[in-house]
Amino acid sequence: MPSLLRNPLTKRLLRPALSLIEQRMEHVTHAFQKDLDALHHEVADLRRQSYGLGLLLDHAGRGAHRMPTPTQVDRLVDEVRAVTGAADERARGDVTVAYRHLVALEALGVGGIGGTVSDVCGRLAAVPLLATGSGAEPRADVGAGPGVVEVLEVGTGHGLFAAALRRMLRRHGVEARLTLVDPLDGAPALEEVVRGNLALGGGSPDASRLVRGRLDESRVRELVADRRYGVVLLDGPHDGVPALAAPGAVVVSPAGVPGPGLRPLGAVADSAYYGTAA
């Protein structure tokens, strides 16, 4: 066989076939190189986009990153639906808007919002659905006039969650009157930071009051007991919570049952949800 391939006649006969093979190989190689170059450009673009998103959403400057996976979002939507009774489309839409509020307010405000993406967005989505009756649960008797809901947040931090919740409630057609309880330990200017962050939520400055101290202190309890709240957000177990809640109120706690007389509604991410008798 080797001697046959070296034969001049054989070479002349095979030359057209070899030329055709070479042409086709060149064509395939050229096409492959074009695809490879295009892939390199796409990867470079993705890296640039990823870097920009990382600056906006990664954990730098905050306790945790803000980049949920599709699986996390799907699970969160299911949990919001289970607690509120809202339709899938409504729950998914509110979770999406809640995420946008989280990113926007942390970008514009000072400080951050404590908690994971799922827990923060879960509260921002589920609380308005429950408090306004947009889900299956009845609306709270908010006790502040039509279109207004009294909100008590214990452990307000930098005030960004309260600002985001106010905006989410406004999307459901109600304005929030905020009572925020926090010892505000740390920098002397922290109270001004909170008030500045609250301004990002819109609304009248008179619709927010900041009570320095802890809820278990008698002075603080006396100050906040002048009204009943349609939404109560707790930073842990506290005594006497049902006495502060309006009929049909929503109570959210990160740990344990906050008091007798509250019926469990379910859990979303790291928070437990309760309701008072309507």
Side-chain angles (χ1 to χ4, degrees):
M1 180 64 70
S3 60
L4 180 61
L5 293 176
R6 287 195 295 268
N7 186 286
L9 179 60
T10 303
K11 289 181 178 181
R12 284 198 299 271
L13 292 173
L14 292 178
R15 187 174 295 119
L18 292 174
S19 298
L20 181 60
I21 292 173
E22 289 176 354
Q23 291 174 6
R24 291 185 175 180
M25 288 184 65
E26 288 178 0
H27 177 74
V28 170
T29 302
H30 179 69
F32 177 75
Q33 187 62 49
K34 286 182 62 177
D35 291 342
L36 188 60
D37 291 342
L39 182 60
H40 284 160
H41 287 303
E42 290 180 11
V43 170
D45 288 341
L46 286 173
R47 284 176 175 171
R48 283 192 292 269
Q49 295 172 18
S50 176
Y51 180 74
L53 284 174
L55 292 177
L56 182 64
L57 303 175
D58 72 9
H59 57 77
R62 58 168 68 95
H65 70 79
R66 300 308 194 195
M67 292 183 281
T69 66
T71 300
Q72 288 174 319
V73 173
D74 289 343
R75 184 187 307 118
L76 180 58
V77 170
D78 288 342
E79 291 174 351
V80 170
R81 287 178 55 212
V83 168
T84 65
D88 180 81
E89 183 178 358
R90 182 61 183 270
R92 187 171 296 276
D94 280 17
V95 166
T96 301
V97 175
Y99 176 71
R100 293 170 183 166
H101 277 72
L102 166 62
V103 173
L105 289 177
E106 285 194 326
L108 294 172
V110 178
I113 300 177
T116 64
V117 173
S118 293
D119 192 55
V120 175
C121 292
R123 283 182 279 146
L124 289 176
V127 168
L129 286 168
L130 290 168
T132 63
S134 300
E137 288 292 322
R139 177 176 174 171
D141 178 10
V142 295
V148 180
V149 60
E150 295 283 0
V151 177
L152 171 64
E153 183 184 31
V154 181
T156 193
H158 293 94
L160 286 172
F161 180 82
L165 181 61
R166 170 176 275 170
R167 299 185 73 90
M168 290 295 293
L169 284 165
R170 188 176 297 124
R171 292 185 70 253
H172 288 259
V174 297
E175 287 294 327
R177 288 210 311 179
L178 303 173
T179 297
L180 310 177
V181 177
D182 198 287
L184 296 179
D185 296 329
L190 184 55
E191 182 171 342
E192 292 305 314
V193 168
V194 172
R195 296 192 184 281
N197 286 339
L198 288 175
L200 297 174
S204 170
D206 297 334
S208 302
R209 62 174 179 171
L210 186 57
V211 181
R212 299 191 69 145
R214 304 181 187 281
L215 185 62
D216 298 329
E217 298 173 5
S218 58
R219 175 189 61 84
V220 173
R221 181 60 68 103
E222 183 178 350
L223 287 172
V224 302
D226 63 338
R227 64 194 68 177
R228 294 294 176 264
Y229 301 91
V231 174
V232 180
L233 306 170
L234 302 174
D235 58 353
H238 293 278
D239 295 331
V241 171
L244 297 172
V250 181
V251 180
V252 184
S253 174
V257 178
L262 298 175
R263 60 188 178 91
L265 301 176
V268 177
D270 305 320
S271 295
Y273 290 70
Y274 303 89
T276 61

